[in-house]
Amino acid sequence: MGMSAAVLFKSGESIEINKLLYSLIDLCNKEGLYHSQDLKKVDEDEKLKYCEFCVSDIPLKDSYDRQLCFGIADEPYPYKLVNFDWDPSEDYFKTVVSSDFDDNEDLLFKFLFAFLNEFPVAKVWIEEDWFYTIEDLKAIKASYDNNWCYINPKDT
């Protein structure tokens, strides 16, 4: 389907990228996920500002089709602030943005469920215009449907 997902934090409340990377590595280890990181970008002070972080539930070298890659950005970062009609007074920072997750919806759910358990103030934005909180993901987990990300949680 060619969709992506973004993990949002209110602007100014996102996790510093180095701390986030350590948390993601720990999260993957706890969840039994394989991971790698690459494509690092640093600022003029050599501070990490962006990297790519990939996860899979099988060894990454075994299948490129069974991995999800996420762009991880440190706030501030160009073009990562968004504003939504449901909360026009707040800007949100797209801290973690997935690549296309088609055919890996279950892997996306596993990663996002673990992520939001670690950072419950975050929200997940699916390109369609709907959002998931940790409470939404807990409800989905109780009666999991692999099409979860194509259904507005408000409609369930």
Side-chain angles (χ1 to χ4, degrees):
M1 288 203 164
M3 290 177 46
S4 64
V7 175
L8 307 171
F9 286 90
K10 285 185 180 180
S11 181
E13 296 179 10
S14 61
I15 311 301
E16 190 271 328
I17 193 167
N18 288 310
K19 290 179 184 177
L20 183 56
L21 285 173
Y22 287 122
S23 293
L24 290 176
I25 291 167
D26 187 49
L27 179 147
C28 286
N29 291 337
K30 287 179 190 173
E31 296 296 320
L33 296 173
Y34 298 89
H35 59 86
S36 69
Q37 64 187 62
D38 199 12
L39 285 172
K40 296 179 180 178
K41 293 184 183 179
V42 296
D43 66 12
E44 61 278 352
D45 297 324
E46 297 299 311
K47 183 177 182 242
L48 182 63
K49 295 302 289 176
Y50 177 88
C51 73
E52 187 175 85
F53 189 86
C54 297
V55 301
S56 181
D57 53 0
I58 61 174
L60 293 165
K61 65 181 184 328
D62 289 354
S63 175
Y64 291 110
D65 293 334
R66 187 60 183 165
Q67 64 178 281
L68 289 174
C69 292
F70 298 88
I72 313 287
D74 196 38
E75 191 173 7
Y77 197 84
Y79 313 110
K80 295 289 184 179
L81 280 180
V82 290
N83 190 277
F84 301 100
D85 292 341
W86 54 268
D87 194 0
S89 64
E90 291 286 345
D91 285 331
Y92 286 83
F93 185 72
K94 295 187 286 186
T95 306
V96 178
V97 179
S98 79
S99 57
D100 176 16
F101 53 78
D102 190 31
D103 293 329
N104 291 312
E105 293 84 354
D106 59 328
L107 180 58
L108 179 68
F109 182 84
K110 182 175 186 174
F111 177 82
L112 292 175
F113 186 80
F115 189 100
L116 264 61
N117 268 306
E118 185 75 21
F119 303 103
V121 298
K123 294 183 183 344
V124 174
W125 172 36
I126 300 293
E127 269 187 57
E128 288 294 329
D129 263 348
W130 50 75
F131 302 83
Y132 299 89
T133 64
I134 186 58
E135 290 78 20
D136 295 325
L137 295 184
K138 285 177 181 176
I140 291 166
K141 186 174 183 173
S143 59
Y144 184 78
D145 175 348
N146 206 44
N147 289 319
W148 71 272
C149 49
Y150 307 111
I151 302 166
N152 186 338
K154 301 223 182 298
D155 294 341
T156 58

